[in-house]
Amino acid sequence: RDEKELRLTGVADTGTQSWIPKIIKKRECTTFVEDTLCGGTLCQCGGSRDSHASVALGDYFSTAIINHWDSAQHSSEYPTDAFGELQFAGASKRHSYFLRLSWNTPPSMLYTLMTTHWGLPAPNLVVSVVGGEGSTKMKTWVREVLRQGLVKASQSTGAWILTAGLREGVGRCVGEAVRDHATAAASISLSKVVAIGIAPWGLVHNREQLVNPQGSFPAKYYVRNTTQDSCCLDNNYQAFLLVDDGSVGRTGGEIGFRAKLEDYISHQRTGSGSIDIPVLCMLVSGETSMLERVDLSLKNSMPWLVLAGSGGTADFISDMLENLSSAPVTQSSSEGDGEAAPSVDLKERVAERVKKHFSSEVEIDKLVEQALSIYHNRDLITIYNGEQEGCVQSAVLYADFYSDFFFTASKNRTSVDDSPYNEELKLAVTWNRVDIAKSELFNGNIQWRYKDLEESMTDALINDKPQFVRLFTENGLNILDYLTYGRLECLYRSVPDGTLLYQLLQRHLLERIGTTAPVSTQSNQQGSPYEMEMLELLMGDICQAFYYDALGLNQITSKRRALRMATFFWEMTAESVLSALSGCKILRELSKLENETETKVSMKELAQNFENLAHDLFSSCYRSNESRAFTLLIRKSPVWGGTTCLQMGMSADARLFFSNDGVQSLLSQIWWGDMKRNTDVWKLLLTFLCPFLCYTNLITFRNQEDHHQEEEKPNEEGAGRDSDSLYGHTVFSFSDIKHICLFTFLYLLYTGIPHIHRPPKRPFIVSRWRQFWFAPVTSFLGNVLMYFLFLLLFAYVLLVDFKPPPKFGPSITEYVLYFWVFTMVCEEIREVSTGTGITLDFQMRVYIQDVWNKCNLAAIILFVIGLICRMFHWSHGFGREVLCVDYMVFTLRLIHIFAIHKQLGPKIIIVGKMVKDVFFFLFFLGVWLMAYGVANQALIYSYDPSPDRIFRRVFYRPYLHIFGQIPVEEMDVGKDWDKPCTDNVTMIEDGAEPCRTLYSNWLVVILLVVYLLVTNILLINLLIAMFSSTFSEVQANSDIYWKFQRYTLIVQYHSRPSLAPPFIILSHLNLFIKRIIRKVPSVKIYHFVLQLTGKAANRLMTWETIQKEDFLTTQNKIQKSSDSERLKRIVDGVLKHMSESRDFEHRIRALENEVEYCSNALSWIVDTLAQSNMFKPTRPPPTLRGMTRF
């Protein structure tokens, strides 16, 4: 009921938290019980007589007969007056939460308050550190254990650490360790450790600063001396539970509440909801009162870790367990059928140990009973002796020891499931300890069922734990069977709210709900529609509508900084090169939509990693087999929406991938067709001008017959043909593939076996003509030559033969120019209509994205405008001006044509980058030019309303100053100016030249000097420096950029008809008849797209998979041979050896105890027989010689 009330009132008013005093209480002493040791001035609660209310002092008779003060009987509850947020003066600005509460407050209420209203993350583990209170100086090794062991191991699991939370002893040490590790975790993305202090209210110094009945938001808490131990609150804790039992200055009031809270948390579920929260206790030194605490927790099956050598109770428990481990435990005769009781000898030995460690205590019998009970539950206790580990013990070993202890001890608190190891697996996944899972659960002794791994697999995917994903898949979990549509949608729904992917999914879901019926979320639906729309947004420009067939890249985008997870899923996928390019594409598209700079950079880095994988893997494939690698680039993928590696790489802007030697080799082979790639350009030009030279030996062509014979050469085994042709040869004859018959194409498509097409035997004259004219390089050369003729014709029309409007014009040459441009327009229309897009609108958008297509479009539009305007008398001059500007645009188009050149291409890239720098320079120059121009014009001429003169003198003349054209006679009144002028305002308004102003001429000269200094020295040198920086930056990668643009140019001229404008109109008519009238499909795209199915596709995929495995093996060898990996293996070996040595020491110590016990027993037997009168020995008992007795 209290928890329900907490939730209801908390939701009603979460801002001020004024509901807390209604349900959370404090305690005050209501009965003054005189403390005789203090002369009657103090109550046994620790408070003075003056601090008690009149009610507590009124009943003298009752107080006279009370000998011992009890919180439950002698204190009452009142609404709490200390709660809210706590700010430590002089410390960080981070606020902590605090609450004063009664010791009998329900722990369920507090747990809900901390997780729901305070926002503390639900723990995967709770470590309760007890003991070590007070101002006693802690040993150095204990501090290191807490810092490097406890906190670091807890950090890997996302734990809560419970201590007293005071700036003394263990509390201070843990607080400092949590602070240091939290600072490191902010940069390496580890789980944050939540430190919670549970301290008695009456023991906290300066607690009056926290009192405020309305709550403090925040309360200022001042600590005078932060360098010394004190009972002040520690500022490194996230929350404080100040338990009030009505006492002042006394300890122990919080022990009962802390035990109940630990027990309640141990029955709650972890953040992922898969297991109960493990609660583990750790004992550091401690007083005798800790024996009762340890005994109660052990009876509740709570595991303990005892630091031997830390002092106090911890040393007693470790000494008792180590030295009495071999003592027998028998059934006491006095107990009858009751519980097992220790033998008299064991009890005496325990009593001896108690007297040794707690000689000053009075209630020895009570301590002995508690110690015996602890001894019976010794299986739940782990002893750790840090002093014996030595100073060379590393922090890593501390952390591993604690994690192993947490895991082993927590198994005692797991519930029974269908699989006895299921809870242990969930615990390992929750703590992200794959090493423990491998050594304890996947060591070959357990047969895991598929259903046992499903839930843990989901947890590993959602929480980004790739090592566990790999472990599960290696031990029988099939990722394709696991990733059903329902589970895939569940993974999408687990995307964090603040991520970009979540926003995209929500946007498409809302759009779909707003336009259609609500989306069904049943698991049997064929993919979630809004997820498909989101994927289409990222991949729609290159892939047809499709859904991921259980590929791993779905989860890559759902978690930031998931490089290992993404790489692991890539290793599992088929079509590895294309999958890597697809991952690059997805991440780069997401980076464009991301607003946060850090996330954007992270996505770009991950995309670059995928591009590097694609580049390196394809390099390995190319070195293995050139022809199969070529087929890999142009194979049409059924998984990725019918796209190819080249298309995906182009869409993903994978410049590094296109710079690969294998990709460039394929492009060069396509570019040259059936001609040798080392053919000189002058031979091509000469053959183009005199076509009959193609029948001579001037140009060398590849011998197709020899090529076919190589393809059909049988393999060494003789078991059929295993030639590269089975993997799809498309580069054997570029002239003949353009005319493959439809039957061959259908045969290839439906059988999956590439048909080695041998075109019908043609006469030498026809075949050689086709080989020359159908090569893309010939088409490019023809377009270049004809484009130069077009520019010459355009220039002749503008300069010589531009006639007046009709009826006197245009001339014949101008009509030829119009027709030439018309054929160019037809080619642009053909290029748009034959694009790879699904719809015409999409094809148009893809066309516009290219810069040079925009240039073409601008040139055509300007030409149409100029053509229309020149046909009329009133706009004839304007039309000619537009055509003159248009000629410049057509001329600039030559830059794109020469991008194919190996030397000019990279320089064009550099020029393009420098143009962007010029715009920034012009911005600064424009600001300074306008400032100087306006001031200069106003100082020279007091009144000049002419817009023409203002524009020229404000902008144009200062611009000419940069190049040294300075009109000194006009600007310097000391020089004679022979231009007539006037001061008459009327004449000036009519257009006359105004006279100069003489009195401010000195300032004009100064401004001119400053202006020239800034522009000619500062800004010009700034521009030069920007150009130098851009050149140095781009020059290293200009070759990569040029190779990337080379692909676009090759694809463009490969798809173009062989004839160039204006003769290209004949090719357009031919295409119109074939495609529109005769409905003949195009087969020219087979150079860049090849459909493989059946056996051929499987064999190519198998070959690619083998290459990927070899590539990964090589990478692993390189990684293992690195210095860091070798050092890691050495350290692991040393740690393993030290662990084995520690085990041997424990075994030897146990053996010594056994020998000591046997020796004592034999001595007792000898003494007994010696005192007996049954028989007389003939010789004295033997003595030890040369040996030391244990």
Side-chain angles (χ1 to χ4, degrees):
R1 182 180 60 83
D2 293 337
E3 184 177 357
K4 182 178 180 181
E5 181 181 0
L6 171 64
R7 292 177 178 176
L8 293 178
T9 55
V11 172
D13 188 6
T14 58
T16 60
Q17 299 184 3
S18 59
W19 44 271
I20 289 182
K22 300 178 182 178
I23 54 177
I24 304 296
K25 308 298 180 181
K26 67 175 183 178
R27 278 193 172 269
E28 292 184 358
C29 179
T30 55
T31 303
F32 183 84
V33 180
E34 183 177 311
D35 189 355
T36 57
L37 299 178
C38 298
T41 59
L42 296 178
C43 175
Q44 291 187 15
C45 70
S48 62
R49 183 181 295 271
D50 298 336
S51 63
H52 286 67
S54 59
V55 177
L57 302 174
D59 192 357
Y60 295 100
F61 177 76
S62 300
T63 56
I65 62 176
I66 297 175
N67 296 325
H68 178 70
W69 185 88
D70 183 74
S71 175
Q73 299 179 4
H74 305 136
S75 64
S76 300
E77 291 185 344
Y78 299 93
T80 183
D81 57 358
F83 61 93
E85 298 178 359
L86 185 63
Q87 181 180 2
F88 290 86
S92 62
K93 296 182 179 180
R94 179 182 59 83
H95 294 177
S96 303
Y97 300 98
F98 74 97
L99 176 65
R100 177 185 182 182
L101 67 152
S102 174
W103 57 266
N104 60 350
T105 303
S108 59
M109 184 184 301
L110 268 299
Y111 184 76
T112 304
L113 176 68
M114 289 189 291
T115 56
T116 304
H117 299 279
W118 287 356
L120 301 181
N124 295 322
L125 168 70
V126 174
V127 182
S128 180
V129 184
V130 298
E133 291 87 0
S135 58
T136 303
K137 185 177 181 180
M138 295 183 61
K139 299 180 180 180
T140 304
W141 71 267
V142 176
R143 291 180 176 272
E144 290 300 318
V145 166
L146 294 176
R147 173 183 294 273
Q148 303 292 348
L150 171 67
V151 177
K152 188 173 183 179
S154 301
Q155 190 177 46
S156 65
T157 59
W160 284 7
I161 298 182
L162 307 182
T163 69
L166 303 178
R167 296 188 60 84
E168 61 176 9
V170 171
R172 179 169 185 166
C173 183
V174 171
E176 293 175 350
V178 169
R179 176 199 61 198
D180 296 340
H181 283 278
T183 303
S187 58
I188 59 178
S189 302
L190 294 175
S191 301
K192 297 296 183 65
V193 178
V194 177
I196 300 176
I198 304 179
W201 166 261
L203 195 65
V204 178
H205 284 190
N206 300 331
R207 57 185 175 275
E208 62 276 359
Q209 300 175 7
L210 309 178
V211 176
N212 186 355
Q214 286 74 36
S216 302
F217 302 96
K220 293 284 187 177
Y221 188 74
Y222 295 90
V223 180
R224 292 183 179 179
N225 192 349
T226 59
T227 59
Q228 298 180 358
D229 289 346
S230 63
C231 289
C232 297
L233 299 179
D234 195 314
N235 64 307
N236 297 312
Y237 285 73
Q238 282 80 4
F240 297 94
L241 300 179
L242 307 179
V243 183
D244 190 3
D245 63 347
S247 64
V248 178
R250 292 175 48 182
T251 61
E254 81 287 356
I255 294 179
F257 170 80
R258 184 170 173 176
K260 290 189 296 182
L261 179 63
E262 294 167 358
D263 183 67
Y264 175 80
I265 295 178
S266 67
H267 294 87
Q268 305 305 306
R269 309 293 282 183
T270 59
S272 58
S274 56
I275 58 173
D276 290 342
I277 300 175
V279 178
L280 313 168
C281 299
M282 178 178 176
L283 179 61
V284 181
S285 67
E287 300 177 353
T288 55
S289 59
M290 287 299 159
L291 285 176
E292 181 179 3
R293 168 69 195 280
V294 174
D295 184 25
L296 293 176
S297 298
L298 290 175
K299 290 179 180 179
N300 292 328
S301 301
M302 196 80 71
W304 279 80
L305 173 66
V306 177
L307 287 189
S310 60
T313 305
D315 287 353
F316 165 72
I317 294 178
S318 62
D319 182 31
M320 179 181 65
L321 296 183
E322 290 181 1
N323 293 282
L324 302 182
S325 59
S326 59
V329 181
T330 60
Q331 180 78 17
S332 177
S333 60
S334 61
E335 294 292 334
D337 298 334
E339 299 178 352
S343 64
V344 177
D345 181 67
L346 176 62
K347 189 172 183 178
E348 291 178 355
R349 292 163 64 96
V350 171
E352 180 182 351
R353 299 289 175 180
V354 170
K355 293 178 181 178
K356 175 182 177 181
H357 288 272
F358 309 113
S359 58
S360 61
E361 294 294 329
V362 179
E363 300 178 350
I364 296 295
D365 295 337
K366 181 179 179 181
L367 297 180
V368 171
E369 294 298 329
Q370 293 174 355
L372 286 173
S373 178
I374 293 173
Y375 182 79
H376 282 294
N377 295 297
R378 60 186 180 274
D379 293 338
L380 294 173
I381 301 177
T382 301
I383 304 297
Y384 179 73
N385 195 328
E387 288 183 328
Q388 297 180 2
E389 301 299 331
C391 59
V392 297
Q393 187 81 355
S394 66
V396 177
L397 184 58
Y398 283 137
D400 290 342
F401 172 80
Y402 276 105
S403 299
D404 294 341
F405 161 71
F406 293 158
F407 182 78
T408 304
S410 297
K411 292 192 292 185
N412 297 314
R413 299 191 59 83
T414 56
S415 59
V416 180
D417 199 84
D418 294 340
S419 175
Y421 302 98
N422 198 22
E423 293 294 328
E424 300 174 19
L425 177 61
K426 294 178 181 178
L427 187 65
V429 175
T430 302
W431 291 354
N432 197 20
R433 291 306 305 266
V434 69
D435 54 339
I436 298 178
K438 288 181 179 179
S439 60
E440 299 288 339
L441 304 177
F442 292 91
N443 51 12
N445 299 327
I446 304 174
Q447 297 296 326
W448 289 98
R449 296 171 297 179
Y450 178 80
K451 66 176 183 179
D452 297 333
L453 302 178
E454 284 183 334
E455 186 176 353
S456 298
M457 181 68 168
T458 304
D459 190 9
L461 287 173
I462 293 176
N463 295 289
D464 189 22
K465 299 174 181 177
Q467 294 179 338
F468 275 100
V469 176
R470 182 186 294 273
L471 182 64
F472 295 151
T473 54
E474 291 175 351
N475 286 272
L477 190 143
N478 191 333
I479 192 66
L480 297 179
D481 296 336
Y482 168 79
L483 282 178
T484 61
Y485 283 115
R487 189 171 284 115
L488 194 58
E489 184 173 351
C490 177
L491 293 174
Y492 270 109
R493 291 183 181 276
S494 66
V495 174
D497 296 351
T499 59
L500 174 63
L501 180 59
Y502 178 84
Q503 298 173 3
L504 292 175
L505 290 172
Q506 285 294 110
R507 188 180 71 183
H508 286 288
L509 176 61
L510 294 177
E511 291 177 356
R512 189 170 187 85
I513 293 178
T515 56
T516 61
V519 180
S520 174
T521 58
Q522 297 179 358
S523 60
N524 59 354
Q525 63 182 1
Q526 296 299 312
S528 183
Y530 54 93
E531 293 162 9
M532 295 179 65
E533 293 177 5
M534 188 275 298
L535 295 172
E536 184 179 357
L537 171 67
L538 299 178
M539 308 288 292
D541 61 335
I542 189 61
C543 298
Q544 299 176 2
F546 75 103
Y547 193 63
Y548 284 44
D549 290 335
L551 293 176
L553 292 176
N554 322 312
Q555 286 76 35
I556 291 175
T557 58
S558 64
K559 298 294 289 183
R560 291 184 255 183
R561 301 181 298 275
L563 174 59
R564 290 183 298 172
M565 180 77 80
T567 305
F568 170 64
F569 275 104
W570 172 79
E571 294 176 4
M572 295 176 59
T573 59
E575 304 182 5
S576 305
V577 177
L578 183 56
S579 297
L581 293 173
S582 303
C584 177
K585 162 71 174 175
I586 292 175
L587 289 165
R588 282 182 175 157
E589 291 295 331
L590 285 174
S591 65
K592 296 176 183 177
L593 302 174
E594 182 61 56
N595 295 324
E596 297 182 6
T597 304
E598 183 179 355
T599 307
K600 183 188 292 289
V601 173
S602 176
M603 288 181 176
K604 290 182 178 179
E605 292 177 354
L606 183 55
Q608 188 60 47
N609 289 331
F610 272 107
E611 185 180 351
N612 294 338
L613 284 175
H615 175 273
D616 297 341
L617 178 57
F618 182 76
S619 297
S620 178
C621 295
Y622 179 67
R623 289 190 298 268
S624 175
N625 191 297
E626 178 180 345
S627 181
R628 295 180 184 180
F630 289 165
T631 308
L632 201 64
L633 292 175
I634 61 178
R635 176 197 54 190
K636 190 175 182 180
S637 170
V639 176
W640 292 99
T643 187
T644 66
C645 290
L646 293 178
Q647 293 173 352
M648 186 65 74
M650 183 66 186
S651 178
D653 197 22
R655 296 185 177 94
L656 180 63
F657 177 76
F658 276 94
S659 67
N660 188 281
D661 293 338
V663 178
Q664 291 299 312
S665 178
L666 174 64
L667 295 179
S668 297
Q669 198 164 344
I670 295 175
W671 178 249
W672 287 96
D674 289 333
M675 292 181 288
K676 294 292 185 178
R677 283 184 281 182
N678 58 355
T679 304
D680 296 328
V681 178
W682 66 269
K683 294 181 180 180
L684 291 176
L685 291 173
L686 188 60
T687 307
F688 185 84
L689 297 176
C690 185
F692 296 103
L693 291 177
C694 68
Y695 298 109
T696 65
N697 293 328
L698 182 65
I699 298 179
T700 307
F701 293 86
R702 290 188 296 166
N703 192 335
Q704 297 183 28
E705 295 298 330
D706 295 341
H707 190 78
H708 289 310
Q709 291 177 5
E710 291 178 2
E711 290 176 355
E712 296 178 0
K713 186 180 297 183
N715 58 10
E716 296 179 359
E717 297 178 359
R721 290 182 294 110
D722 189 21
S723 65
D724 295 337
S725 62
L726 292 177
Y727 293 88
H729 269 286
T730 60
V731 293
F732 56 86
S733 178
F734 295 97
S735 60
D736 294 323
I737 199 171
K738 296 184 179 182
H739 299 277
I740 293 178
C741 62
L742 181 61
F743 171 77
T744 304
F745 169 69
L746 294 177
Y747 177 79
L748 171 67
L749 181 62
Y750 290 105
T751 62
I753 303 177
H755 179 73
I756 303 177
H757 174 72
R758 293 192 177 183
K761 192 68 175 180
R762 296 188 177 91
F764 174 75
I765 296 176
V766 178
S767 61
R768 182 54 58 88
W769 182 270
R770 295 164 60 86
Q771 284 180 322
F772 177 75
W773 288 103
F774 288 168
V777 64
T778 307
S779 177
F780 169 77
L781 186 61
N783 278 272
V784 171
L785 293 177
M786 298 306 296
Y787 198 79
F788 273 110
L789 292 178
F790 166 74
L791 293 178
L792 291 176
L793 178 63
F794 202 167
Y796 175 78
V797 170
L798 291 176
L799 298 176
V800 178
D801 202 16
F802 197 82
K803 301 295 183 181
K807 301 177 183 179
F808 304 99
S811 61
I812 301 298
T813 55
E814 195 169 350
Y815 278 117
V816 174
L817 178 64
Y818 297 161
F819 177 74
W820 204 316
V821 175
F822 171 74
T823 59
M824 290 182 175
V825 173
C826 293
E827 174 58 23
E828 298 299 324
I829 295 175
R830 184 206 61 82
E831 185 177 347
V832 174
S833 60
T834 58
T836 58
I838 302 174
T839 62
L840 182 61
D841 178 66
F842 182 78
Q843 293 174 354
M844 191 64 189
R845 283 190 281 113
V846 173
Y847 174 83
I848 292 296
Q849 289 177 357
D850 188 80
V851 176
W852 296 109
N853 288 336
K854 295 177 182 177
C855 182
N856 293 340
L857 195 60
I860 293 172
I861 292 175
L862 288 175
F863 190 86
V864 173
I865 295 175
L867 174 61
I868 295 174
C869 293
R870 68 97 56 223
M871 294 297 178
F872 303 96
H873 290 280
W874 58 272
S875 60
H876 177 266
F878 176 75
R880 188 175 185 278
E881 294 170 358
V882 172
L883 290 176
C884 291
V885 175
D886 189 38
Y887 179 80
M888 296 179 60
V889 178
F890 273 114
T891 306
L892 292 176
R893 187 67 173 78
L894 283 173
I895 296 177
H896 177 55
I897 294 176
F898 289 104
I900 194 67
H901 196 269
K902 191 171 184 179
Q903 280 73 35
L904 292 178
K907 300 301 183 291
I908 293 174
I909 300 296
I910 296 176
V911 170
K913 296 289 185 179
M914 289 183 174
V915 169
K916 298 180 181 179
D917 295 336
V918 171
F919 284 107
F920 291 104
F921 168 76
L922 291 178
F923 170 76
F924 292 109
L925 179 63
V927 172
W928 181 238
L929 187 144
M930 182 176 179
Y932 168 75
V934 172
N936 182 72
Q937 174 68 10
L939 290 172
I940 295 178
Y941 302 101
S942 60
Y943 181 72
D944 186 6
S946 175
D948 179 66
R949 286 196 296 264
I950 290 177
F951 178 80
R952 290 177 179 272
R953 291 171 178 173
V954 170
F955 296 101
Y956 181 61
R957 187 169 62 185
Y959 178 75
L960 294 179
H961 290 355
I962 302 175
F963 305 99
Q965 297 186 17
I966 304 173
V968 181
E969 294 81 4
E970 180 183 357
M971 302 183 65
D972 190 358
V973 295
K975 302 289 184 179
D976 295 332
W977 192 31
D978 55 357
K979 190 173 183 178
C981 62
T982 180
D983 292 327
N984 191 320
V985 177
T986 304
M987 296 178 63
I988 293 175
E989 291 177 353
D990 292 338
E993 178 71 23
C995 292
R996 298 172 296 175
T997 303
L998 302 179
Y999 64 88
S1000 59
N1001 187 255
W1002 63 275
L1003 186 56
V1004 173
V1005 176
I1006 295 177
L1007 290 180
L1008 176 61
V1009 173
V1010 175
Y1011 172 74
L1012 293 178
L1013 285 175
V1014 173
T1015 54
N1016 290 19
I1017 296 178
L1018 179 61
L1019 293 182
I1020 297 299
N1021 283 279
L1022 174 63
L1023 179 63
I1024 295 173
M1026 293 171 63
F1027 282 170
S1028 300
S1029 176
T1030 301
F1031 183 85
S1032 302
E1033 184 178 335
V1034 178
Q1035 178 65 23
N1037 299 321
S1038 60
D1039 186 64
I1040 296 177
Y1041 292 145
W1042 167 71
K1043 290 179 179 179
F1044 180 70
Q1045 289 192 348
R1046 182 170 177 256
Y1047 167 76
T1048 306
L1049 194 65
I1050 291 176
V1051 171
Q1052 177 183 354
Y1053 282 97
H1054 172 265
S1055 61
R1056 277 191 173 221
S1058 301
L1059 298 177
F1063 306 108
I1064 199 173
I1065 192 66
L1066 300 177
S1067 299
H1068 292 161
L1069 293 175
N1070 182 38
L1071 290 175
F1072 179 80
I1073 295 173
K1074 280 186 176 181
R1075 307 291 179 261
I1076 305 302
I1077 300 178
R1078 298 177 57 191
K1079 306 296 183 182
V1080 178
S1082 174
V1083 293
K1084 193 174 182 179
I1085 60 172
Y1086 296 155
H1087 282 171
F1088 294 95
V1089 177
L1090 177 65
Q1091 180 81 27
L1092 287 182
T1093 57
K1095 184 179 179 180
N1098 293 334
R1099 296 185 65 180
L1100 181 61
M1101 190 176 299
T1102 302
W1103 175 77
E1104 184 183 7
T1105 303
I1106 293 174
Q1107 298 303 317
K1108 178 184 67 176
E1109 293 174 354
D1110 294 342
F1111 168 74
L1112 294 177
T1113 303
T1114 304
Q1115 294 296 319
N1116 291 333
K1117 289 181 180 179
I1118 296 174
Q1119 183 179 3
K1120 289 181 180 180
S1121 63
S1122 62
D1123 295 338
S1124 59
E1125 288 296 325
R1126 283 185 290 182
L1127 180 60
K1128 181 180 179 181
R1129 288 196 297 271
I1130 294 174
V1131 172
D1132 292 340
V1134 172
L1135 294 180
K1136 182 179 179 180
H1137 178 71
M1138 294 178 63
S1139 179
E1140 293 176 353
S1141 301
R1142 185 178 60 185
D1143 293 339
F1144 287 143
E1145 291 179 0
H1146 289 316
R1147 292 180 182 179
I1148 293 174
R1149 191 178 304 163
L1151 183 61
E1152 291 176 350
N1153 293 333
E1154 293 284 349
V1155 172
E1156 181 181 4
Y1157 174 76
C1158 294
S1159 177
N1160 293 333
L1162 291 174
S1163 298
W1164 178 79
I1165 293 174
V1166 171
D1167 294 340
T1168 302
L1169 293 176
Q1171 296 175 5
S1172 175
N1173 297 324
M1174 294 179 62
F1175 63 90
K1176 297 293 184 179
T1178 59
R1179 58 185 178 85
T1183 58
L1184 295 175
R1185 295 179 181 180
M1187 297 179 62
T1188 302
R1189 187 173 181 178
F1190 293 103

